[in-house]
Amino acid sequence: MAMSNIDQVTSLHKNNELQLLCFRLEKGRDLYAVNVFKIREVVKYNGAITIVSHEPNSLVEGLITIRELTIPLIDMRKWFFYDPAIPSKDLRNYSVKRNKGEDDIVMICEFSKWTIGVRIYEADRILNKKWTEIEQSAGVGGNSGNGKLVSRTRYYDGKLVQVVDIEKMLIDVFPWIEEEKNKEMENIGQVTSTKKILLADDSPIVLKTMQSILNRLGVVHLDFINGQKLLDYLLSPDTDINDVGLIITDLEMPEASGFEVIKQVKSNADLRHIPIVVNSSMSGTSNEEMALSLNADEFISKSNPVEIEKAVNELMLR
């Protein structure tokens, strides 16, 4: 099952809509979802799994090879029971359960220039939604809490569908990605600008990383958990827009997406001078083309300190 093409996704974004692939981690249990734009395909896999770690706390099941591409396989159900505060916790009993001889169901996910396989119990259907129908998750409790769920919406029959923060999963599984960012951060310098940056992202882990980068650059920034909150601030009569030097926005956010932010800012004569940087984990040039076709000024791969420093220097000081 292959996922959507770029033209379809472009038109979805322009209409402030998204498509979610719904899936389950156990038979007949809760529905979860990931934006289809992050999923290349869903496959049945019965090939070899090359074990890379025999540790009972490992989140990586091993390496699998699909169409000559070797990628890490992560069991999402194990990650749901993983707690960063207890990194040595034995996760072996929490894997997705299948009957003997049944193929694994694997979502091939592409984002932040990474390709990974994610084991699930079953893929369900694709849900078309408006971003206004997506609610921010307010720290959903239980094992599925810990910031693993970023938003929620409703299935066709009104059942709850919870959207997974897949960036958080990547950082939990490969902590060295974050360590590399921290190293890169040591090489960036201060920016001299009295103007402020408006930042919007619905992932708490991404907001935290971005805050660290912008603090390191020494710029004043206001942070918003979705595009609508940023727009509300920007369009408020109490806001002095001359103080705003730059907007940095994610694309996928509840209530109003990054595309909606770009559209509203660039179509407003009083605001269109404000440069907009898209900070997105969506891989590939097609997304850059899409953001730029909507008049964004720059596209950076998710929270890259060097790219952010360059964009801030080029766009805020001009």
Side-chain angles (χ1 to χ4, degrees):
M1 168 164 138
M3 295 294 129
S4 47
N5 67 39
I6 190 69
D7 293 337
Q8 187 185 355
V9 174
T10 306
S11 67
L12 280 169
H13 275 305
K14 286 188 171 175
N15 294 320
N16 208 31
E17 295 172 346
L18 78 159
Q19 288 184 325
L20 294 167
L21 175 69
C22 299
F23 60 90
R24 288 185 172 85
L25 298 176
E26 294 172 73
K27 187 173 182 174
R29 296 295 297 273
D30 293 356
L31 278 163
Y32 299 101
V34 171
N35 192 317
V36 296
F37 211 11
K38 291 182 179 169
I39 302 169
R40 194 166 81 188
E41 58 183 326
V42 177
V43 297
K44 286 185 171 179
Y45 185 79
N46 59 8
I49 297 178
T50 308
I51 306 297
V52 286
S53 166
H54 291 279
E55 300 293 323
N57 63 339
S58 177
L59 285 162
V60 180
E61 296 295 283
L63 299 174
I64 59 173
T65 303
I66 291 174
R67 298 198 228 322
E68 299 180 357
L69 181 70
T70 300
I71 55 174
L73 176 66
I74 295 153
D75 189 303
M76 190 181 276
R77 191 166 184 271
K78 276 189 182 178
W79 174 63
F80 268 46
F81 287 87
Y82 163 78
D83 181 351
I86 318 167
S88 58
K89 180 178 173 181
D90 187 337
L91 299 170
R92 288 173 298 187
N93 291 333
Y94 299 117
S95 61
V96 170
K97 305 287 186 284
R98 304 212 77 79
N99 294 327
K100 208 169 169 59
E102 275 188 329
D103 292 347
D104 274 323
I105 306 297
V106 178
M107 290 193 302
I108 311 294
C109 297
E110 282 185 322
F111 56 97
S112 294
K113 303 197 166 105
W114 290 89
T115 303
I116 58 172
V118 181
R119 180 192 279 153
I120 57 174
Y121 177 76
E122 66 182 1
D124 193 83
R125 58 176 75 184
I126 288 174
L127 212 52
N128 278 313
K129 288 281 176 186
K130 289 249 180 225
W131 277 108
T132 47
E133 296 175 283
I134 309 290
E135 292 170 46
Q136 209 96 22
S137 282
V140 184
N143 289 318
S144 52
N146 296 333
K148 294 184 168 89
L149 303 168
V150 76
S151 53
R152 54 210 290 179
T153 189
R154 296 284 161 186
Y155 196 61
Y156 297 94
D157 59 4
K159 275 200 196 86
L160 185 67
V161 177
Q162 302 182 91
V163 182
V164 176
D165 188 347
I166 207 148
E167 276 89 359
K168 174 85 168 77
M169 186 175 80
L170 193 69
I171 287 166
D172 282 345
V173 176
F174 304 114
W176 49 264
I177 294 175
E178 206 60 2
E179 287 156 21
E180 274 188 1
K181 275 214 172 94
N182 292 336
K183 278 205 190 79
E184 282 177 5
M185 228 183 285
E186 290 167 16
N187 300 322
I188 62 176
Q190 296 266 307
V191 173
T192 48
S193 176
T194 53
K195 294 198 170 187
K196 62 178 75 141
I197 291 177
L198 306 186
L199 168 67
D201 203 298
D202 66 327
S203 167
I205 193 92
V206 174
L207 272 181
K208 197 169 152 218
T209 304
M210 286 298 296
Q211 286 161 352
S212 302
I213 295 168
L214 295 177
N215 289 344
R216 176 90 190 175
L217 289 173
V219 286
V220 178
H221 53 95
L222 298 179
D223 312 323
F224 304 91
I225 54 168
N226 63 50
Q228 191 56 52
K229 297 264 189 300
L230 185 150
L231 287 169
D232 289 347
Y233 171 81
L234 200 53
L235 298 168
S236 162
D238 301 330
T239 299
D240 182 353
I241 53 173
N242 295 316
D243 281 349
V244 179
L246 183 66
I247 291 168
I248 302 178
T249 180
D250 184 20
L251 291 182
E252 307 176 328
M253 294 179 290
E255 296 183 38
S257 71
F259 285 95
E260 191 64 19
V261 170
I262 298 166
K263 195 163 77 180
Q264 289 208 30
V265 170
K266 294 302 184 183
S267 63
N268 183 319
D270 295 331
L271 303 175
R272 66 169 64 119
H273 67 280
I274 302 171
I276 299 180
V277 173
V278 170
N279 179 37
S280 175
S281 62
M282 294 183 184
S283 303
T285 55
S286 47
N287 310 304
E288 299 183 38
E289 286 162 16
M290 206 190 310
L292 299 174
S293 77
L294 287 177
N295 299 322
D297 297 84
E298 192 66 65
F299 184 100
I300 51 179
S301 47
K302 205 68 170 192
S303 314
N304 179 306
V306 176
E307 288 181 28
I308 290 162
E309 179 189 36
K310 185 169 175 283
V312 168
N313 272 316
E314 285 176 4
L315 297 170
M316 260 181 88
L317 304 177
R318 66 186 185 186

